[in-house]
Amino acid sequence: MAPMSTAEQPNNPLHGLTLEGILNELVAYFGWEELGERIPVRCFCLDPSINSSLRFLRKTPWAREKVEGLYLFMLREKRRSGG
């Protein structure tokens, strides 16, 4: 299957975003503590940092999917609250 081009995913809110950008927005919105409660992985709970989290998420597809899902939830919450 060929990779999708930009024109084929105009409504994909994750298109064009980096994992680092998504993670930075989640940390700014929820904070590390709540992020660790919502997605209980060591890199969010014990001495969290962007770099350690990125290393883990790049090697762990199920965790990355959870992070992307939480990001989409955050976008919906922001839209709902008007900010």
Side-chain angles (χ1 to χ4, degrees):
M1 180 143 78
M4 290 191 212
S5 71
T6 306
E8 292 173 9
Q9 31 180 315
N11 296 322
N12 181 352
L14 298 175
H15 185 73
L17 297 177
T18 64
L19 184 56
E20 183 175 7
I22 290 171
L23 191 55
N24 281 322
E25 281 196 57
L26 287 172
V27 171
Y29 188 78
F30 292 110
W32 285 112
E33 187 175 335
E34 187 173 346
L35 193 55
E37 290 172 8
R38 290 175 177 265
I39 305 172
V41 292
R42 287 176 59 112
C43 65
F44 294 163
C45 299
L46 299 173
D47 196 23
S49 73
I50 294 294
N51 285 336
S52 68
S53 298
L54 287 173
R55 276 193 303 274
F56 174 75
L57 293 171
R58 288 182 178 133
K59 293 188 286 187
T60 316
W62 65 263
R64 183 178 181 143
E65 287 176 20
K66 286 187 177 287
V67 165
E68 290 171 347
L70 184 59
Y71 180 77
L72 294 174
F73 171 80
M74 180 196 74
L75 291 179
R76 288 190 302 272
E77 287 295 304
K78 281 183 165 183
R79 268 197 305 271
R80 220 176 271 139
S81 67

